[in-house]
Amino acid sequence: MSLLQISEPGGRPVRRTDRKRAAGIDLGTTNSLIATDVNGEVRTLADADSAHLLPSAVHYRADGATTVGAAAKAQAAADPANVIVSVKRALGKSLDELEDSGDYRQYRFDSECEPGSPAFVTAAGVRNPVEVSADILKTLVQRAEARTGEAVEGAVITVPAYFNDAQRQQTRHAAELAGIRVLRLLNEPTAAAVAYGLDTQEQGNIIVFDLGGGTFDVSLLSLRKGVFEVLATGGDTALGGDDFDKAVAGWLADQCGLGGMDSIAARDYPAMLQAANRAREALSEAEQAELSWNGSSFTLSAAEFAELAAPLVRRTMLACRRVLRDARMETGAIDNVLLVGGATRMPLIRRAVADYFGREPLQDIDPDRVVAIGAGIQAEVLAGNKPAGDFLLLDVNPLSLGIETMGELVEKIIHRNTSIPVSKSQEFTTFKDGQTAMALHVVQGERELVGECRSLARFSLRGIPPMVAGAAKVKVTFQVDADGLLSVSAEEASTGRKAEVQVKPSYGLDLDQVEQMLKDSHEHARADMSARALREARLEATRLMEAIGAALEVDGELLETAERAAIDQALHALRQAMAEENAARIEERTEQLNHASEGFAERRMNMTVGAALRGESIDAIDERTE
Amino acid sequence: MLSIADNYFSQFELPVGYDIDLDRLNGQFRELQTIVHPDRYAAAEDEQRLQAIKLSSYLNEAYETLKSPLRRAGYLLQMQGVDIEQVEQSDLDPELLFEQLRLRESLAELPKDESALERLEELHHATSAKLAQRQREFADFLAEASLGQARKLFHELQFLTKLQAEIEKAEDAIV
């Protein structure tokens, strides 16, 4: 359940003491930054080479030495197994998840480690993702201490809004391992909004459009009287500036007559991507860019690039649309749009964002640095160097919670993006006569079939008094607290019997799964609908057949031979249809059976409950007469 | 921490009625949430924390109920003692059922690709307009205490809201 836990830990009490050196850290997938107060203004700090961005790469060398940043990244091609990159994606994941993701194919994992806490085998020894992250954090803090000449006493570290509990905990552990006191973990989009000073505004709806090197996040924040609320988040974990480079590289391959990307030799590919990247960046400033490859020279115009990039831009816009829809908001309700991530420097992205939201995005602050700056400002507040505002973040749960019902369908109880804490109850009923126990299976996800959501827990409710199908009322209550922890209880209304389960954080979903599940739900919505239709048709047919079977046993003598034969034939036809995967046919034959049994139903009805219920279908009558 | 009012409207110091000042609702909600949110009791005793969770959940529920036009309508009827769970046959006019059937069929018959988007958009607009109209009528019936009529309209609002969700789902499946 930890995935629900996107709440930002509550602000710690701020003691007014002497000025303390505090810093904001953006621990990114591709690059990391640190920001601190410089002469009264929070700024990111550069290294000795004037580079503000520290590549999130760590090289564990055979001589036992560790290098972090550009130097490590430069060794990635030569020593892939020992240069750990994109470690952020590994935080809070199990070994299976890392192996299945495909992101970490170049590494060897320690066979000794627990499946729940994988570690890389490097030339310098075994390192887990927390340790690798700690090495990056240490390098950043050392940079700050070297530049300011003071010890960093506390830091605000940013995390994606949808980071789960395990991911947040590991980020915190990495900081502790690096000897940093964590003042608070802050959501990245919130940090961006703080950097723009939007937290001091009376109110507003803010879109944070964050297109990094390899990931795309879009968040909708609502701000009112100092209260930040994450209304919705979305995006694509496999979309970033790199994909635009790949599109350009593909174009270049075409121009060279290489006939597409597949025919590029693997060793040529990195160089081709670099050429593509240079061209893409040049196009941020100019109307055209020159590329050369194997002695030939090519010109890529901004218009051609726009065409290559169009499918990618469209994907970002679809994610924006989805987030707005999740929050039930129109573009006109958006007051500010913030750009985060280096890839938002592309003019075509800025234009697309401005067109879609009907307003110019804020872009005064360097999109690579804005998150670190916001974190730095918040660190100043929490360290007591600046007065604290009335800062409270209200959160939402990012994935729907539901319960398995008959036919492996999911009955959603708490929909995604519902404000937490939240408590919701729903009544369920028994399916069979005399049913005394009920198994409840709690799942998380957007899909309509149980098998395609993530199982959270199973529990059973026993001691339901035997009643006719549909008479027992089982009230199931889901409670999600502000930390995102779920508890589920169930109670039978007439007897008050209770069962309860606490969902443990080990069930937390990882980011990729969330994304994948959302993506799947999106891609398979149609398949779901037809699968659901089939299950419902089967369920309905089963109900009717059982009802008629029971009725025949009791009142079979009411029937003429011909009527009985017609019902038997319809029953047979329906049974045959049940064996096939055709919902329409099952429905049609269910209807035929209904029709064949109408006269029978009417007679039973007249006999047992009188004319009051005339017009009801046979199964409904059956339930009431038993 | 917070005293629980008789109903959700007075909890947020709003007049009881279908037409609602959403800005005021938002403002009141956040003000109260700032007081009871569990983050404010991070260091408090378990009992107080539990109380904060309960109150904060209650506020979220109250807020979501009043914010949603459909849930607000149902809540107002329930405040008047109207049972909205049971649908009487007489609540549903044949014309209404027929129209809903027709709309659903036209939705189901649309192609499952981008060529349907324009039609979906039209359906969406038409349904929104209809919803808005029925909401106004609902507000009027409620104001003059014609509860039977209001209840009938509530069921129609349910149909329309569900239809709207299905149109959106169909759009999502395409884009």
Side-chain angles (χ1 to χ4, degrees), chain A residues 239-259:
Chain A
L239 177 63
D242 300 347
D243 296 288
F244 291 78
D245 293 342
K246 282 177 201 157
V248 173
W251 172 87
L252 181 57
D254 277 347
Q255 298 294 306
C256 299
L258 289 174

Side-chain angles (χ1 to χ4, degrees), chain A residues 16-88:
Chain A
R16 264 241 170 253
T17 53
D18 293 330
R19 188 166 191 84
K20 286 177 172 166
R21 175 57 59 187
I25 296 176
D26 174 4
L27 184 61
T29 308
T30 317
N31 295 297
S32 299
L33 294 102
I34 188 164
T36 191
D37 181 276
V38 180
N39 304 323
E41 191 187 347
V42 174
R43 293 183 194 168
T44 57
L45 302 177
D47 66 5
D49 296 327
S50 311
H52 289 252
L53 298 178
L54 176 74
S56 301
V58 186
H59 188 197
Y60 295 100
R61 294 177 359 193
D63 62 8
T66 301
T67 57
V68 179
K73 189 182 170 187
Q75 292 301 309
D79 191 10
N82 295 310
V83 178
I84 313 292
V85 296
S86 301
V87 71
K88 187 173 177 177

Side-chain angles (χ1 to χ4, degrees), chain A residues 334-593:
Chain A
I334 302 302
D335 301 294
N336 284 295
V337 181
L338 310 185
L339 296 179
V340 178
T344 61
R345 287 203 183 83
M346 284 185 277
L348 63 93
I349 287 288
R350 298 188 163 194
R351 220 164 23 241
V353 171
D355 286 349
Y356 183 77
F357 291 102
R359 61 173 55 249
E360 283 301 316
L362 295 180
Q363 52 195 46
D364 310 334
I365 306 178
D366 184 327
D368 278 321
R369 304 183 192 174
V370 60
V371 167
I373 290 171
I377 293 171
Q378 192 59 20
E380 283 288 293
V381 173
L382 295 179
N385 299 334
K386 268 189 182 176
D390 200 10
F391 192 83
L392 176 70
L393 190 81
L394 299 179
D395 277 311
V396 295
N397 72 323
L399 283 175
S400 297
L401 283 169
I403 199 157
E404 175 175 350
T405 62
M406 288 298 297
E408 290 169 34
L409 298 176
V410 177
E411 177 89 44
K412 284 178 189 165
I413 295 192
I414 298 178
H415 285 260
R416 76 191 172 106
N417 290 320
T418 304
S419 305
I420 53 173
V422 62
S423 174
K424 284 262 167 81
S425 297
Q426 188 124 341
E427 256 183 19
F428 292 89
T429 189
T430 47
F431 184 64
K432 286 209 190 277
D433 290 346
Q435 183 178 337
T436 57
M438 189 180 274
L440 293 173
H441 181 200
V442 184
V443 299
Q444 189 174 28
E446 305 313 311
R447 304 293 298 275
E448 298 190 335
L449 302 183
V450 166
E452 285 153 347
C453 289
R454 177 131 175 178
S455 169
L456 291 182
R458 291 173 185 273
F459 65 111
S460 57
L461 177 68
R462 299 187 187 282
I464 300 171
M467 295 184 214
V468 193
K473 301 268 179 275
V474 183
K475 187 175 146 195
V476 178
T477 304
F478 283 53
Q479 166 83 64
V480 178
D481 69 17
D483 297 326
L485 295 170
L486 168 75
S487 62
V488 179
S489 60
E491 188 181 291
E492 201 289 307
S494 63
T495 59
R497 295 246 189 187
K498 276 193 178 184
E500 190 152 346
V501 65
Q502 187 79 36
V503 183
K504 295 188 179 61
S506 56
Y507 289 100
L509 300 178
D510 63 73
L511 158 61
D512 288 347
Q513 276 173 304
V514 178
E515 288 296 328
Q516 193 56 47
M517 287 164 93
L518 288 176
K519 210 167 127 214
D520 281 355
S521 107
H522 183 73
E523 283 170 2
H524 298 301
R526 260 181 293 148
D528 268 358
M529 275 192 245
S530 57
R532 184 170 186 127
L534 181 63
R535 275 156 203 274
E536 282 175 350
R538 283 189 170 147
L539 214 58
E540 189 56 38
T542 307
R543 264 179 185 280
L544 182 65
M545 288 196 294
E546 284 186 5
I548 288 183
L552 284 175
E553 243 174 65
V554 183
D555 289 326
E557 75 278 4
L558 290 175
L559 287 170
E560 307 281 336
T561 320
E563 278 180 318
R564 177 67 191 241
I567 291 177
D568 283 344
Q569 200 192 344
L571 270 170
H572 180 69
L574 179 54
R575 258 187 223 113
Q576 276 185 331
M578 292 278 278
E580 298 164 31
E581 308 266 305
N582 185 337
R585 181 164 305 147
I586 295 173
E587 279 167 14
E588 184 190 306
R589 302 225 164 135
T590 303
E591 192 44 48
Q592 282 165 1
L593 178 58

